[in-house]
């Protein structure tokens, strides 16, 4: 049982440290670190406090308290991936708009340029 | 006189594009032509420029939806009254454009869709495609409260209201069916016009037999989700 506790504490503490360090170095934006930090904190608190873990396990009817940690970790991962899917959807839309905008701008630049030179620069566009 | 833009979305259509533009020039000279080069890897853009038409080149392939929407954005920016969607593969006929435009110019419809199936016996699709076409047609007819026969037709004419609507939002992967549902829900009027179409003159259809099942499921799902959207 103690080994489970040690693994759980080390795991969640490492997660927190890694995420924190990535934010500090600018590898991860704060906006995308919040869910990770929140998950890490909850898991760390539950790993440290045997009483709280057992109390919540009893409430939801889990017989082996450490499996509550697995359940929560799994739920957090689901939440985070869903969040990423939403973020990717938003980025895809913005990416498309940017591509369209660039294409249209480039066309009007070509048009203006060929008008300036009397329509002779069509080929070099 | 209404200002008309003909939008040709083109992805790797270097073979058929010059013929398509020639067809438009000789049989429907009233429209300006815009080729939306959807990140082609062949010489689509050069061929179009050699023909002297306007070319908008997307930096990478967005798919038919993104390309067509680019055309609608262009139409709106330049203040065109009507935008005609015209395939770059040669299956649409320039001679049919006046018929397609009629309900839009008359003010009866915001979007006119050219249908192959209103003239009996003119087009016989392969068996599986026929089933798919019938499913879409039935589902869409029920949703729109009107008979639609050719839901996947990319031969369309849009007035200013429909252009503005599509500029704001246009579906992505297989947009023809979905765009009808969205436009209808946006309160715009759609009308089908009987037209004939040719067999393709070059390139390959993007819809292979294996993909068509995926296509059907995806589009039906998207259409049902559209109805639930706010």
């Amino acid at each position: 049982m103690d080994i489970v506790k040690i693994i759980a504490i080390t795991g969640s503490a490492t997660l927190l440290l890694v995420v924190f360090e990535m934010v500090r170095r600018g590898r991860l934006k704060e906006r995308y670190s919040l869910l990770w930090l929140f998950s890490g904190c909850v898991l760390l608190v539950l790993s440290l406090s045997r009483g709280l873990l057992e109390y919540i396990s009893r409430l939801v009817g889990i017989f082996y308290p450490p499996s509550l940690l697995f359940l929560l970790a799994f739920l957090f991962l689901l939440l985070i991936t869903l969040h990423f899917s939403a973020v990717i959807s938003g980025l895809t839309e913005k990416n498309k708009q940017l591509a369209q905008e660039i294409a249209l701008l480039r066309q009007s630049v070509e048009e203006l340029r060929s008008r300036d030179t009397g329509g002779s620069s069509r080929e070099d566009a | 006189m209404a200002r008309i833009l003909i939008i040709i979305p083109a992805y790797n259509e270097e073979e058929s594009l010059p013929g398509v533009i020639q067809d438009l020039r000789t049989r429907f000279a009233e429209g300006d032509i815009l080729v939306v080069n959807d990140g082609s890897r062949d010489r689509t853009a050069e061929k179009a420029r050699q023909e002297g038409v306007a070319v908008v080149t997307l930096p990478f392939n967005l798919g038919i939806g993104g390309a067509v929407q680019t055309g609608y954005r262009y139409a709106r920016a330049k203040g065109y009254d009507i935008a005609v969607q015209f395939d770059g593969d040669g299956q649409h006929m320039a001679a049919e454009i006046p018929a397609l435009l009629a309900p839009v110019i008359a003010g009866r419809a915001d979007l006119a869709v050219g249908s192959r199936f209103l003239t009996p016996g003119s087009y016989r699709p392969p068996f599986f495609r026929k089933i798919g076409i019938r499913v879409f047609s039935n589902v869409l007819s029920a949703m729109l409260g009107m008979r639609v026969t050719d839901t996947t037709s990319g031969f369309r004419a849009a007035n200013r209201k429909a252009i503005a609507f599509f500029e704001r939002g246009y579906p992505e992967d297989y947009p023809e069916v979905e765009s009808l549902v969205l436009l209808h829900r946006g309160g715009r009027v759609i009308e089908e016009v009987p037209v004939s179409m040719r067999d393709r003159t070059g390139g390959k259809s993007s819809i292979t037999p294996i993909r068509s099942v995926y296509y059907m499921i995806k589009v039906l799902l998207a259409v049902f989700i559209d109805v639930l959207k706010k």
Side-chain angles (χ1 to χ4, degrees):
Chain A
M1 199 58 73
D2 271 332
I3 290 175
V4 171
K5 189 173 176 179
I6 290 165
I7 291 173
I9 293 170
T10 330
S12 39
T14 314
L15 173 68
L16 274 178
L17 279 177
V18 169
V19 173
F20 190 77
E21 187 59 20
M22 284 174 81
V23 174
R24 211 175 60 85
R25 293 189 186 179
R27 298 266 307 275
L28 190 61
K29 285 191 183 294
E30 285 87 344
R31 189 194 310 179
Y32 300 118
S33 68
L34 291 179
L35 266 174
W36 286 113
L37 291 173
F38 176 71
S39 314
C41 286
V42 171
L43 290 177
L44 184 62
V45 168
L46 287 177
S47 315
L48 288 169
S49 160
R50 185 81 210 188
L52 189 60
L53 187 67
E54 276 172 5
Y55 174 72
I56 299 175
S57 299
R58 225 176 295 123
L59 274 185
V60 290
I62 290 174
F63 293 108
Y64 178 62
S67 42
L68 176 67
L69 289 177
F70 289 111
L71 176 67
L72 282 177
F74 174 72
L75 289 179
F76 282 137
L77 281 181
L78 266 188
L79 192 67
I80 289 168
T81 39
L82 185 63
H83 174 237
F84 284 164
S85 298
V87 170
I88 289 170
S89 300
L91 288 176
T92 306
E93 177 62 27
K94 285 181 192 164
N95 198 39
K96 180 186 86 174
Q97 287 177 10
L98 277 177
Q100 292 177 333
E101 210 63 40
I102 286 174
L104 291 168
L105 283 173
R106 193 158 58 186
Q107 193 274 338
S108 42
V109 168
E110 281 166 20
E111 200 177 74
L112 287 175
R113 197 183 287 160
S114 72
R115 195 180 295 164
D116 282 350
T117 55
S120 60
S121 70
R122 209 176 256 154
E123 276 75 30
D124 64 19
Chain B
M1 188 68 198
R3 289 181 65 222
I4 298 164
L5 176 72
I6 294 158
I7 301 167
I8 308 177
Y11 176 58
N12 296 341
E13 301 280 15
E14 63 174 8
E15 286 172 37
S16 53
L17 200 56
V20 169
I21 294 170
Q22 279 312 312
D23 182 34
L24 285 165
R25 286 251 164 85
T26 47
R27 292 187 184 80
F28 188 77
E30 297 93 317
D32 295 340
I33 299 173
L34 170 73
V35 169
V36 181
N37 170 29
D38 189 11
S40 299
R41 279 163 298 174
D42 65 0
R43 301 174 63 239
T44 296
E46 288 164 60
K47 292 273 171 136
R49 254 187 226 108
Q50 279 165 16
E51 298 292 330
V53 302
V55 183
V56 167
T57 293
L58 291 163
F60 44 84
N61 183 260
L62 284 185
I64 180 72
V68 165
Q69 193 186 28
T70 310
Y72 282 120
R73 279 171 174 254
Y74 180 93
R76 192 140 147 82
K78 300 265 178 174
Y80 282 97
D81 300 305
I82 296 175
V84 175
Q85 245 176 271
F86 199 87
D87 279 4
D89 60 8
Q91 64 168 322
H92 298 160
M93 297 160 77
E96 297 279 12
I97 294 180
L100 184 72
L101 288 174
V104 176
I105 289 176
R108 281 203 310 276
D110 298 303
L111 183 79
V113 180
S115 168
R116 286 162 285 187
F117 307 124
L118 289 172
T119 10
S122 55
Y123 168 69
R124 295 192 180 282
F127 180 69
F128 282 108
R129 186 170 293 184
K130 198 161 141 189
I131 292 177
I133 286 165
R134 191 162 300 166
V135 170
F136 281 141
S137 167
N138 288 339
V139 170
L140 264 277
S141 298
M143 277 181 171
L144 306 191
M146 59 175 276
R147 199 166 87 95
V148 271
T149 54
D150 201 348
T151 55
T152 57
S153 165
F155 186 38
R156 300 171 166 201
N159 70 3
R160 280 174 173 274
K161 286 177 189 166
I163 292 172
F165 186 89
F166 287 149
E167 188 206 22
R168 281 196 300 275
Y170 199 77
E172 265 156 40
D173 293 343
Y174 301 104
E176 290 86 5
V177 181
E178 228 189 311
S179 60
L180 292 180
V181 178
L182 293 173
L183 194 70
H184 174 74
R185 282 176 56 81
R188 306 266 74 97
V189 182
I190 301 164
E191 185 173 320
E192 272 196 339
V193 176
V195 296
S196 38
M197 293 187 192
R198 272 186 225 106
D199 289 335
R200 305 169 61 86
T201 58
K204 257 175 67 186
S205 170
S206 55
I207 303 163
T208 60
I210 314 141
R211 272 173 149 178
S212 59
V213 176
Y214 168 73
Y215 172 91
M216 266 192 51
I217 295 171
K218 202 223 146 229
V219 173
L220 285 177
L221 193 69
V223 163
F224 286 123
I225 289 173
D226 284 333
V227 175
L228 301 174
K229 269 185 194 165
K230 270 187 255 172

